[in-house]
Amino acid sequence: DHRDLHSFPTRRSSDLGPMAPSSSPRPSLAPYPEIPVQDLLSRSAERLPHKVAVIDGERTFTYAQIEEMSNRFASSLAAEGLKVADRVGIFAPNCVEFAIAFFGILRAGGIPSTVNSSYVERELAFQMNDCGALVLIVHEAMLEITEKAKSHSLDVRQLIVIRPGNQDAGSFWGLIESASGQPPEFAIDPKEDVAALPYSSGTTGLAKGVELTHFNLTSNVVQIEACQPENPVALEGDVVLVHLPLFHIYGLQVLMNLYLSVGATLVMMGRFDMGELLGLLVKHRVTQLFTVPP
């Protein structure tokens, strides 16, 4: 729940006085850049090709590598028949493959729909059927749930399994390894075209798809970058521990898109463990940690 994420101190309305002075609002940041979300990664890869973008366990990936792998994955998806605006589910814990898949789907013209990694089979099937996903990218840790979801009418055209270190034909890394050619070219209208389709928590019923355009996401990145000029939220030199889930909009935007945009380094944590968290903080000299009170 986003209400648990206290990035800033809570203030009572009485603290603000009857009315804020007319001089207090910050000037508008408009006009916002009208660019595709994937350009956030491309700009960092062009500027900082050899800098480490993601650390995932013992694996490290530079910006140039993330850029190349997402392009290769996009090429493979297009070769497999993915068309512009086709929905693709991502069912995985925090991992480098999540980032590569997200940007790869966008570069193939598809729309990623991120799935809560704690979903059971009925919930997975509902989201994929509701958004009309044709492809589901699933981490091997969630494969058993995915197989069970078929009894709940999960029906996708293609299942792509993430097996770290495994390049079997048709698997996530196998498709990247066998990719040939460049990602497809297509026109993007940032203000109209959907770039992500995460699902709400479904507090008052079933989860609901939230259509977010490229302009929604890139403008929000600009807003977060500018929200504290005297003490910026994100800097190129930051090392960020990513244990808040990337399937959630907070993890997707504040941790992944924002920090990749500024050229920082992400340290992936797929499952929360206090001992591991403390070890990662020390080992990688983490500078930024976003977490929840519990």
Side-chain angles (χ1 to χ4, degrees):
D1 190 318
H2 69 278
R3 291 168 297 181
D4 290 334
L5 299 169
H6 299 300
S7 298
F8 304 98
T10 300
R11 294 189 291 174
R12 300 185 302 270
S13 58
S14 59
D15 297 333
L16 303 177
M19 182 178 295
S22 59
S23 61
S24 65
R26 292 190 300 268
S28 172
L29 299 175
Y32 291 97
E34 297 182 30
I35 61 173
V37 173
Q38 52 268 36
D39 281 11
L40 299 178
L41 173 63
S42 296
R43 292 187 307 185
S44 293
E46 182 177 351
R47 188 167 57 90
L48 303 163
H50 304 300
K51 185 180 179 188
V52 173
V54 180
I55 300 171
D56 188 357
E58 299 303 315
R59 303 182 295 168
T60 62
F61 299 82
T62 65
Y63 273 94
Q65 288 173 321
I66 299 292
E67 173 84 351
E68 179 187 2
M69 289 171 183
S70 62
N71 279 331
R72 292 175 68 87
F73 188 57
S75 174
S76 290
L77 288 175
E80 295 282 328
L82 192 76
K83 301 291 194 298
V84 172
D86 283 350
R87 273 65 168 170
V88 181
I90 306 177
F91 190 34
N94 292 356
C95 56
V96 67
E97 290 89 351
F98 195 110
I100 294 170
F102 180 81
F103 289 106
I105 293 165
L106 289 175
R107 287 175 172 166
I111 300 173
S113 183
T114 57
V115 184
N116 189 323
S117 57
S118 65
Y119 267 2
V120 296
E121 47 269 24
R122 173 181 54 81
E123 295 166 313
L124 170 63
F126 170 78
Q127 180 173 332
M128 293 296 92
N129 293 339
D130 186 62
C131 76
L134 298 179
V135 180
L136 175 59
I137 302 165
V138 57
H139 193 278
E140 61 182 357
M142 282 96 167
L143 192 54
E144 182 178 353
I145 291 173
T146 304
E147 292 297 333
K148 290 180 179 178
K150 293 177 181 178
S151 65
H152 292 267
S153 302
L154 173 66
D155 183 21
V156 292
R157 181 181 69 197
Q158 183 180 12
L159 197 65
I160 300 173
V161 182
I162 298 171
R163 292 189 172 92
N166 187 306
Q167 297 181 352
D168 289 346
S171 70
F172 182 83
W173 287 108
L175 288 174
I176 290 175
E177 179 65 21
S178 62
S180 59
Q182 297 296 315
E185 295 185 5
F186 52 92
I188 293 178
D189 182 342
K191 285 192 172 183
E192 297 295 330
D193 293 345
V194 175
L197 189 58
Y199 269 60
S200 72
S201 60
T203 308
T204 58
L206 295 171
K208 302 167 184 66
V210 182
E211 294 182 314
L212 298 170
T213 66
H214 289 267
F215 192 66
N216 290 152
L217 298 181
T218 56
S219 297
N220 186 226
V221 165
V222 171
Q223 290 165 342
I224 304 170
E225 285 183 5
C227 73
Q228 297 187 93
E230 71 288 350
N231 184 24
V233 175
L235 296 170
E236 180 183 308
D238 277 325
V239 179
V240 188
L241 183 59
V242 183
H243 86 81
L244 295 181
L246 292 175
F247 68 76
H248 190 282
I249 192 61
Y250 195 101
L252 186 72
Q253 272 293 93
V254 179
L255 300 187
M256 189 175 79
N257 287 338
L258 170 66
Y259 279 94
L260 290 179
S261 174
V262 300
T265 298
L266 307 184
V267 179
M268 295 294 184
M269 187 175 182
R271 180 176 177 275
F272 184 82
D273 175 85
M274 181 58 76
E276 181 185 356
L277 180 138
L278 296 176
L280 291 172
L281 291 177
V282 174
K283 180 178 180 180
H284 299 296
R285 303 178 71 86
V286 168
T287 64
Q288 293 276 28
L289 173 65
F290 294 79
T291 190
V292 291

